[in-house]
Amino acid sequence: SQLSAVMFKWQARTLSFTPEPGMQVMAYGHISVYERGGRYQFYAAQLQPAGVGELALAFEQLKNRLESEGLFAPERKRPLPPYPRTIGVVTSPTGAAIRDIIDVLQRRAPGLQIILCPARVQGPGAADEIARAIADLNRSPGVDILIVGRGGGSQEDLWPFNEEIVARAIYRSEKPVI
């Protein structure tokens, strides 16, 4: 037997991955009668990839798309300056990451100037703030290199660093980014 399924465009826009032909998914919704044909039809409200996490699949799809556009091409990587004088840091001003970065830099290169461009590093809007901070530091004269980072966390907590807007900001950066 066969059961038709449909997902409306406005619901499909909320998916973080792109369904592909032959992909196995777990679909959530309801069954109703499609009146025109007098047949039962499944109305999907939510889809999740079967076997692999939704975030992992979304990340792979984004990575493949950006790679095909040349964002990760080796010739795009900028060489690190051997003796930078000023380092721009994009991270939360209140997290442990900034304290660790400052501690390591002061031990290894005393006298190095550090410019913090604060940004939220998790939660809604974090990716936009990270991308904006990268652009801001690129406009700062004298900054030799950028560090974009945060402490540990779950995959969901770290997700803003995987978003397209951050990848494109790094790609556009004229300064090397760690």
Side-chain angles (χ1 to χ4, degrees), residues 5-134:
V6 64
M7 179 176 233
F8 296 110
K9 194 176 199 176
W10 63 271
Q11 291 170 312
R13 282 192 203 119
T14 65
L15 297 176
S16 61
F17 70 100
T18 304
E20 297 171 358
M23 179 184 285
Q24 292 187 6
V25 297
M26 294 185 347
Y28 301 88
H30 68 279
I31 294 178
S32 186
V33 176
Y34 179 58
E35 291 183 20
R36 188 183 328 158
R39 297 185 317 258
Y40 285 105
Q41 182 165 285
F42 181 76
Y43 292 86
Q46 238 184 338
L47 292 181
Q48 292 179 348
V52 65
E54 187 173 359
L55 285 178
L57 180 60
F59 176 72
E60 264 319 296
Q61 289 177 340
L62 176 63
K63 188 174 81 170
N64 291 338
R65 185 166 52 81
L66 297 179
E67 190 168 34
S68 71
E69 291 180 31
L71 266 71
F72 308 131
E75 60 271 12
R76 288 287 305 160
K77 293 187 186 265
R78 288 157 190 82
L80 301 179
Y83 302 104
R85 293 189 315 265
T86 304
I87 295 182
V89 179
V90 177
T91 193
S92 167
T94 59
I98 187 61
R99 290 189 304 275
D100 291 344
I101 291 169
I102 291 170
D103 182 49
V104 169
L105 291 175
Q106 285 178 342
R107 265 195 337 253
R108 294 185 180 178
L112 191 67
Q113 184 179 3
I114 300 168
I115 297 174
L116 172 64
C117 195
R120 280 185 292 159
V121 292
Q122 73 181 57
D128 291 328
E129 287 188 24
I130 294 166
R132 193 173 315 113
I134 292 169

Side-chain angles (χ1 to χ4, degrees), residues 66 71-72 161-172:
L66 297 179
L71 266 71
F72 308 131
F161 291 87
N162 294 335
E163 291 196 31
E164 183 172 356
I165 190 170
V166 172
R168 291 196 183 280
I170 292 170
Y171 178 79
R172 285 190 302 271

